[in-house]
């Protein structure tokens, strides 16, 4: 699905975690826009939700899609 997807990533707890998720999304979705809100532990991703979810999982985190 293409569009904005919000992922809650409870195990993204620090700046290092955030950088790891950013790197994974940048590699999986080149040219796609995304925003990370570390305080809320969320990623807002424009683009293919399935690819984004897979990339976050492969980086070692547990993304949960929100409504």
């Amino acid at each position: 699905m293409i569009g904005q997807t919000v992922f809650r990533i409870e195990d993204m707890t620090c700046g290092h975690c955030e950088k790891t998720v950013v790197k994974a999304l940048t590699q999986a979705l080149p040219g796609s826009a995304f925003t990370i809100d570390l305080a809320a532990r969320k990623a807002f991703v424009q683009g293919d939700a399935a690819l984004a979810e897979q990339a976050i999982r492969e980086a070692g985190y547990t993304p949960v899609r929100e409504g």
Side-chain angles (χ1 to χ4, degrees):
M1 176 182 155
I2 305 294
Q4 179 168 286
T5 306
V6 179
F7 293 100
R8 176 169 274 289
I9 311 170
E10 285 295 331
D11 46 0
M12 180 178 67
T13 59
C14 67
H16 179 267
C17 297
E18 179 182 13
K19 287 179 186 175
T20 301
V21 171
V22 166
K23 181 178 178 182
L25 290 173
T26 300
Q27 290 176 346
L29 301 169
S32 293
F34 58 87
T35 305
I36 305 295
D37 183 339
L38 181 58
R41 297 184 183 172
K42 292 184 181 183
F44 301 85
V45 180
Q46 294 285 338
D48 188 313
L51 279 178
E53 184 172 355
Q54 179 181 355
I56 296 167
R57 287 188 188 285
E58 288 177 0
Y61 299 91
T62 312
V64 176
R65 288 188 205 194
E66 291 196 336

